[in-house]
Amino acid sequence: MSLTLRTISREQHLAYIQSLPSASHCQVPAWADVKTEWRSENLGWFDQSGELVGAGLVLYRQLPKIKRYLAYLPEGPVINWYAPNLDDWLQPMLAHLKQQGAFSVKMGPPVVIRRWDSAAIKSGIQNPDVKRLRDVEATHIEPRAFEVSDRLRKMGWQQGEDGGAGFGDVQPRYVFQVPLANRSLDDVLKGFNQLWRRNIKKADKAGVEVVQGSYEDLAEWQRLYEITAVRDHFRPRPLSYFQRMWTVLNSEDPNRMRLYFARHNGVNLSAATMLVVGGHVWYSYGASDNIGREVRPSNAMQWRMLRDSYAMGATVYDLRGISDSLDETDHLFGLIQFKVGTGGEAVEYVGEWDFPLNKLLHKALDMYMSRR
């Protein structure tokens, strides 16, 4: 099968994404407008009959002082990753990006390699010899994903560092998901652990209400988010980032981004943003106050978001990134502990891959990043 690759319009790109069961929210055309510090391009793969069979959002970040770029396809491109002729998909892409002045390409194939159900993770947490998720036997392994990794290596792609910090926002390799396909809501709730079910009841009894917010409520979201940033020691994004995100994503699709608040006695205690692409729903950002934790607003809010996702016909509710550490002394351990209570599964992707088009500049960038 010979494929041709060329720049496509946003409309073509969006129509292609809408024809699929789902794709990453980092690969919808409007994501380029969220990431204003990058230049962007929409790529399309066409088969011999001229039909669009794959698409990719490329973000270009210029190197300081020279007209050379890092080309980044977050959680993309959206192509047939299991195609035996993966070369025919990726070679034209590399040639095109090189022409555009890219010295290095970074991509994140949306290919799942392993899954662990909650029971497997819990037994891992209870075993003192187990420190990482990868030390626990996976509940499901996708053999084709290993073939994808082998093919990429043979082509000269290099596997990126796990969650390597760096240029822009590197996407998580490990995420936590609650599968919703072919399950009843009752079944989903039964999958929650006792603590979660108890906390959902507690919030209900205390009269916690969960409501959807609008653009006007983003300032209130920001208040809770900044409280969270101080408590958890991270640098918060500015209000303008969320306002832009809301405007550009919802102008592409009115249901792309949602905002939720859990409130008690009229006071907002926790908040979250949610992203929707086809059958895939992501809990994207979360925030909470230091007060009112005893009425369990976060549990109530997650349960409402899950129910809304289910009502929309979502096949998966994605709680996004986790660390693969199962060590209780690790500062990120609380995150997996909170998420595992939903009875979902930990999911490992094949991670991010780099292709140095100019080895010297690629090396210089690596050194620059490691010093930061």
Side-chain angles (χ1 to χ4, degrees):
M1 167 168 122
S2 75
L3 293 160
T4 53
L5 175 126
R6 60 175 183 266
T7 305
I8 55 173
S9 70
R10 289 178 66 138
E11 292 70 30
Q12 280 172 295
H13 186 171
L14 182 61
Y16 179 71
I17 296 284
Q18 285 168 337
S19 75
L20 304 173
S22 178
S24 167
H25 62 271
C26 302
Q27 280 294 306
V28 299
W31 193 250
D33 302 327
V34 177
K35 301 287 164 196
T36 47
E37 66 279 26
W38 301 71
R39 174 166 80 80
S40 69
E41 186 183 16
N42 308 79
L43 293 183
W45 280 259
F46 294 84
D47 66 10
Q48 275 150 313
S49 69
E51 193 188 343
L52 183 61
V53 289
L57 174 69
V58 189
L59 302 174
Y60 294 98
R61 173 69 77 92
Q62 192 174 343
L63 269 185
K65 299 190 177 62
I66 53 171
K67 273 258 191 287
R68 298 304 288 278
Y69 303 86
L70 169 74
Y72 183 31
L73 295 98
E75 297 183 8
V78 185
I79 59 173
N80 176 10
W81 284 98
Y82 300 128
N85 59 333
L86 199 51
D87 274 49
D88 295 354
W89 291 82
L90 297 178
Q91 288 317 101
M93 179 181 88
L94 289 173
H96 175 85
L97 297 174
K98 191 170 187 169
Q99 249 180 326
Q100 295 290 312
F103 67 89
S104 187
V105 180
K106 183 186 276 297
M107 65 176 183
V111 173
V112 170
I113 198 159
R114 292 185 194 87
R115 296 176 187 271
W116 294 263
D117 65 19
S118 294
I121 302 166
K122 278 177 205 152
S123 69
I125 291 170
Q126 281 153 8
N127 181 343
D129 299 331
V130 168
K131 293 287 180 237
R132 300 207 158 277
L133 199 49
R134 63 186 75 166
D135 302 334
V136 178
E137 197 177 336
T139 328
H140 176 78
I141 289 178
E142 177 53 75
R144 294 184 304 170
F146 291 94
E147 289 167 27
V148 172
S149 296
D150 286 345
R151 282 191 193 127
L152 291 175
R153 264 187 215 100
K154 283 196 181 88
M155 281 182 237
W157 289 85
Q158 301 165 2
Q159 194 156 21
E161 293 301 307
D162 273 4
F167 238 80
D169 317 353
V170 172
Q171 303 305 322
R173 180 165 181 179
Y174 294 90
V175 300
F176 203 87
Q177 298 177 345
V178 181
L180 300 176
N182 309 317
R183 296 176 74 190
S184 68
L185 259 184
D186 204 37
D187 178 41
V188 174
L189 184 61
K190 281 196 184 110
F192 281 28
N193 70 12
Q194 263 180 312
L195 182 65
W196 261 86
R197 290 203 301 270
R198 211 166 45 231
N199 286 343
I200 289 167
K201 271 205 185 101
K202 203 176 201 172
D204 192 38
K205 224 177 180 159
V208 170
E209 52 167 347
V210 180
V211 295
Q212 258 185 269
S214 65
Y215 179 86
E216 285 67 42
D217 300 306
L218 285 168
E220 173 63 357
W221 147 263
Q222 192 70 16
R223 179 185 76 82
L224 291 168
Y225 172 63
E226 287 180 9
I227 291 171
T228 310
V230 171
R231 184 178 64 237
D232 294 348
H233 312 290
F234 64 85
R235 203 166 88 217
R237 291 186 180 278
L239 173 59
S240 58
Y241 180 82
F242 295 102
Q243 288 172 328
R244 183 169 69 242
M245 200 170 166
W246 182 279
T247 307
V248 300
L249 292 178
N250 287 337
S251 63
E252 177 174 278
D253 178 334
N255 199 32
R256 186 76 83 222
M257 180 174 174
R258 290 183 173 197
L259 176 62
Y260 286 84
F261 291 98
R263 57 171 66 143
H264 186 241
N265 297 335
V267 179
N268 291 317
L269 298 175
S270 62
T273 63
M274 175 164 137
L275 299 174
V276 184
V277 183
H280 202 129
V281 173
W282 292 265
Y283 155 52
S284 158
Y285 283 88
S288 61
D289 205 331
N290 298 326
I291 56 165
R293 298 186 145 207
E294 66 288 347
V295 295
R296 303 297 176 209
S298 293
N299 299 86
M301 184 173 65
Q302 288 294 342
W303 177 229
R304 162 74 190 270
M305 288 164 74
L306 233 158
R307 292 198 320 265
D308 284 3
S309 304
Y310 187 88
M312 273 187 254
T315 52
V316 60
Y317 180 72
D318 196 322
L319 290 133
R320 285 299 273 169
I322 51 171
S323 124
D324 85 325
S325 173
L326 297 181
D327 180 354
E328 300 192 9
T329 60
D330 189 305
H331 72 291
L332 291 169
F333 175 73
L335 200 59
I336 192 166
Q337 205 176 25
F338 177 74
K339 293 177 181 182
V340 96
T342 61
E345 51 190 21
V347 176
E348 181 191 1
Y349 284 90
V350 293
E352 297 205 312
W353 293 73
D354 297 300
F355 195 98
L357 291 165
N358 178 320
K359 292 199 168 58
L360 207 67
L361 283 176
H362 181 81
K363 211 174 167 63
L365 176 76
D366 265 1
M367 283 166 69
Y368 168 69
M369 295 315 304
S370 62
R371 280 207 309 268
R372 278 177 72 177

